[in-house]
Amino acid sequence: MRISVWTALAVTALLALLGSVFVVREGHSAIVFRLGTIVRTDVTPGLHFKVPLIENARIFDRRLLVLPAESERYLTEDKQDVSVDFFALGRIDNLRAFFRATGGNEEVAVLRLAPIIRDSLRNEINARTLQEVVSGDRTQVIGRQLKAINEGAQTLGVKIVDIRIKRIDLPQDSNVVNSVYDQMRSQRKQVASQLRAEGVEQAQVIRAQAERDRAVILAEAERDAQKLRGEGDAEATRLYAQAANKDPGFYAFQRSLEAYRASFQDGQSVIVLDRNDPFLQYMKSDR
């Protein structure tokens, strides 16, 4: 009987000891309640004690968590409809505020954060055109609204570290797709027209340059030809003068023959001269 009492006391003491110990893992925090009232919060990782039966501990994960959200449709500045699929990265920042606002339920926190994030994204997307939303830097879309989002999330004891846009789609049930394709075709036609105009302009520039080069080359060739002809005539004159100085009679006779040949070259020329004209002197005598 005595052994049974000691055994019961030992078991009771062991259960009391186990009920008074709790472990908080790394990346987690705990809240200690005493009869439903918070007495300790933000309990750090490690081994901790509580009063059995009176106190209980609840542990929360304070690591970064992915907060999913349903895709949302927004209107851009140019009144185009887009569907944005996104998710948020957040963690519990104030454990006491988190528990009071959500009762410690993460699903409640996600549901209450979703409209805050959606409204902030709506403000940013409404201020941008469709082209800026689709082809712009998505981090800029988020960065400018992250501060405002955290101001709303602070009441839930949550801090949003980042929001990632997974996909931006054009809804198939709207006219956005056709308008985007029409805009793309218009832009491509505009680019093609610009390229053709630039090609025509460059061709005209090349032709004008070629004409200028041609005119310069012809002018330089004519200049060189005139120079060469002048030099040739000067050399011929020099040679004629040199020949005339050596034998003036023969030179005069040669020049007269050349004159006769030029005058009667076609065989039909008629020249009326006085019989004593000097032009005929070599036809009368061989001296």
Side-chain angles (χ1 to χ4, degrees), residues 153-207:
Q154 187 176 6
T155 60
L156 302 176
V158 176
K159 182 177 182 180
I160 302 300
V161 177
D162 194 9
I163 298 175
R164 301 292 178 89
I165 296 178
K166 295 189 294 184
R167 187 172 57 190
I168 298 177
D169 291 330
L170 302 176
Q172 299 297 325
D173 58 347
S174 66
N175 295 324
V176 178
V177 175
N178 292 333
S179 65
V180 169
Y181 288 155
D182 291 340
Q183 184 178 2
M184 291 174 63
R185 281 191 288 267
S186 176
Q187 290 176 348
R188 297 283 74 78
K189 289 180 180 178
Q190 183 177 359
V191 171
S193 299
Q194 182 178 356
L195 291 175
R196 282 193 291 269
E198 291 176 354
V200 171
E201 182 181 0
Q202 291 180 2
Q204 292 176 347
V205 171
I206 293 173
R207 291 193 192 97

Side-chain angles (χ1 to χ4, degrees), residues 35 40 45 54 69 128-129 141 148 150 155 158 173 177 199 238 275:
L35 300 177
R40 283 185 291 165
I54 298 176
R128 295 172 179 264
T129 64
V141 178
N150 276 316
T155 60
V158 176
D173 58 347
V177 175
R238 186 186 68 80
R275 62 183 298 175

Side-chain angles (χ1 to χ4, degrees), residues 15-259:
L15 291 175
L17 179 62
L18 293 176
S20 64
V21 175
F22 67 96
V23 177
V24 179
R25 292 177 296 175
E26 190 68 31
H28 294 68
S29 293
I31 296 178
V32 177
F33 301 88
R34 180 177 297 163
L35 300 177
T37 303
I38 298 176
V39 292
R40 283 185 291 165
T41 185
D42 294 322
V43 179
T44 58
L47 181 65
H48 301 276
F49 295 90
K50 58 184 177 64
V51 179
L53 302 178
I54 298 176
E55 296 181 344
N56 66 295
R58 187 169 176 181
I59 300 173
F60 297 88
D61 191 346
R62 302 192 67 170
R63 296 172 296 181
L64 282 178
L65 299 176
V66 177
L67 309 178
E70 296 292 333
S71 60
E72 193 72 15
R73 294 177 67 162
Y74 301 99
L75 281 177
T76 62
E77 184 184 25
D78 48 355
K79 306 304 179 185
Q80 302 296 334
D81 194 10
V82 293
S83 178
V84 180
D85 191 6
F86 64 92
F87 65 91
L89 295 174
R91 58 180 175 82
I92 298 173
D93 187 56
N94 187 324
L95 195 55
R96 184 186 294 270
F98 176 77
F99 182 80
R100 288 178 175 176
T102 65
N105 191 328
E106 293 181 359
E107 294 182 357
V108 173
V110 171
L111 291 175
R112 294 182 61 179
L113 280 171
I116 298 174
I117 297 174
R118 285 198 299 266
D119 291 342
S120 296
L121 286 178
R122 180 176 291 106
N123 294 334
E124 190 65 28
I125 292 176
N126 289 162
R128 295 172 179 264
T129 64
L130 177 63
Q131 183 176 0
E132 291 173 342
V133 172
V134 174
S135 62
D137 187 357
R138 298 183 182 183
T139 59
Q140 293 182 357
V141 178
I142 301 302
R144 293 173 52 177
Q145 296 296 326
L146 196 58
K147 182 179 179 181
I149 292 172
N150 276 316
E151 289 178 357
Q154 187 176 6
T155 60
L156 302 176
V158 176
K159 182 177 182 180
I160 302 300
V161 177
D162 194 9
I163 298 175
R164 301 292 178 89
I165 296 178
K166 295 189 294 184
R167 187 172 57 190
I168 298 177
D169 291 330
L170 302 176
Q172 299 297 325
D173 58 347
S174 66
N175 295 324
V176 178
V177 175
N178 292 333
S179 65
V180 169
Y181 288 155
D182 291 340
Q183 184 178 2
M184 291 174 63
R185 281 191 288 267
S186 176
Q187 290 176 348
R188 297 283 74 78
K189 289 180 180 178
Q190 183 177 359
V191 171
S193 299
Q194 182 178 356
L195 291 175
R196 282 193 291 269
E198 291 176 354
V200 171
E201 182 181 0
Q202 291 180 2
Q204 292 176 347
V205 171
I206 293 173
R207 291 193 192 97
Q209 184 64 41
E211 289 295 331
R212 286 194 296 269
D213 293 343
R214 175 177 174 273
V216 170
I217 292 172
L218 291 176
E220 291 177 349
E222 181 63 23
R223 180 198 63 195
D224 294 341
Q226 292 287 354
K227 181 180 179 182
L228 291 175
R229 280 194 291 268
E231 293 175 352
D233 292 341
E235 181 66 17
T237 302
R238 186 186 68 80
L239 293 176
Y240 282 135
Q242 185 178 4
N245 291 330
K246 288 184 178 181
D247 191 345
F250 178 78
Y251 177 72
F253 177 70
Q254 179 68 25
R255 295 288 290 175
S256 296
L257 292 179
E258 291 178 358

